[in-house]
Amino acid sequence: IQILIFPLSMKSYRAMAVMKKLQPEMQALQQKYKDDPKRMNVELMELYKKYGANPLSGCWPMLLQLPVFFALYTALRNSWNLHGAHFALWIKDLSAKDPYYVLPIFMGSLMFLQQHLNPQTGIDPIQAKIMKWMPVLFTFMFLSFPSGLVIYWIINSLFSLGQTIYLKKEENKIEEVTDRLASLKVIYFIS
C-alpha cells in the first residue's frame, strides 16, 4: 500500500515542507488581518495558490489507508482460520492482542520518532499539544488490537519512516543546490 501511494506521499511531504517555509509569511498575514478573518483567509488562500501549497495534502496518504486498515481489522477479528495460528516468536495468534505488549509499545515509539522527523506546519499551540500526545494515545488504543494489525501498522510506520528520511535527504540536496545557485547569482551580480 505504501509503495502504491508513495507518489502521493512524496507530494504531500513536499507540500508540508513548503508550508513550513511559508510559516513566517502566514504569521505576518494572521497578525495583519487578525481583526478581519475573512480577509485573512482570502490572503492565506492567495499565498497558498502563489506557492502551490495545500494545507490539507498531508492527510491524503492516511485517508487512503483507512479502508485497508478497517478491512484488515475486520478480517483479523472474524477469520477463524487465523485464530490460534502461530506466527513468530511470542505471537501465537495474529487475531489476538500481543500478550506482552511489545508490539504496541514499539509502534508508539516509532510514531513518536516519526512525529519528530516530519515538519510541523502552522498549527496552534493547543493542536501541537494534541499532536504531541497522539503516539501515547495510539499506543493505548493498540494495546487491545489484534497483533496482526499492530504488525501491519509497524511495517507501515517503518516504511513511512524510511520514506521521510529519504525525502529529508532529497530536500537537503535541493536546498544546497538552491543556495549554491543563489551564491553564484550574487557573485555574478558583483562581478
Side-chain angles (χ1 to χ4, degrees):
I1 292 170
Q2 282 288 340
I3 292 170
L4 290 175
I5 64 170
F6 181 75
L8 185 59
S9 296
M10 215 160 131
K11 187 176 180 180
S12 166
Y13 183 84
R14 287 187 177 132
M16 286 190 297
V18 169
M19 291 293 291
K20 186 177 179 182
K21 288 180 182 180
L22 291 178
Q23 193 65 33
E25 291 182 50
M26 290 167 52
Q27 288 175 347
L29 286 173
Q30 288 170 347
Q31 283 291 3
K32 185 176 180 181
Y33 299 110
K34 64 182 174 188
D35 295 330
D36 189 2
K38 273 186 176 178
R39 179 71 192 265
M40 179 181 66
N41 287 335
V42 169
E43 293 295 328
L44 284 173
M45 294 308 276
E46 287 298 319
L47 183 68
Y48 297 153
K49 199 181 292 184
K50 179 179 174 183
Y51 290 98
N54 183 355
L56 298 177
S57 64
C59 301
W60 288 114
M62 182 62 100
L63 288 175
L64 289 174
Q65 293 176 58
L66 280 178
V68 174
F69 179 79
F70 287 122
L72 185 59
Y73 178 72
T74 304
L76 286 169
R77 291 197 57 187
N78 298 329
S79 175
W80 289 104
N81 298 340
L82 293 175
H83 287 275
H86 182 72
F87 180 67
L89 303 173
W90 70 94
I91 306 297
K92 305 282 187 228
D93 187 350
L94 287 175
S95 63
K97 69 179 185 173
D98 180 354
Y100 304 114
Y101 304 112
V102 173
L103 294 175
I105 291 170
F106 181 63
M107 184 215 61
S109 303
L110 277 175
M111 287 181 70
F112 186 75
L113 177 64
Q114 193 174 9
Q115 183 184 49
H116 284 289
L117 288 177
N118 285 330
Q120 293 293 322
T121 57
I123 57 176
D124 62 295
I126 295 171
Q127 195 175 8
K129 286 179 185 176
I130 291 171
M131 293 301 288
K132 187 177 182 178
W133 286 98
M134 283 295 264
V136 175
L137 176 71
F138 267 73
T139 301
F140 279 107
M141 271 180 20
F142 275 68
L143 287 175
S144 62
F145 279 13
S147 57
L149 191 61
V150 182
I151 290 170
Y152 165 77
W153 199 268
I154 287 172
I155 291 169
N156 186 32
S157 294
L158 285 170
F159 191 89
S160 295
L161 191 63
Q163 180 180 328
T164 301
I165 292 169
Y166 168 77
L167 291 172
K168 277 193 170 290
K169 285 181 182 179
E170 289 297 311
E171 182 183 337
N172 289 340
K173 286 179 187 176
I174 291 170
E175 285 180 7
E176 286 176 13
V177 169
T178 306
D179 291 343
R180 285 186 198 153
L181 287 173
S183 64
L184 288 174
K185 285 180 184 178
V186 169
I187 292 170
Y188 178 75
F189 180 73
I190 292 173
S191 59

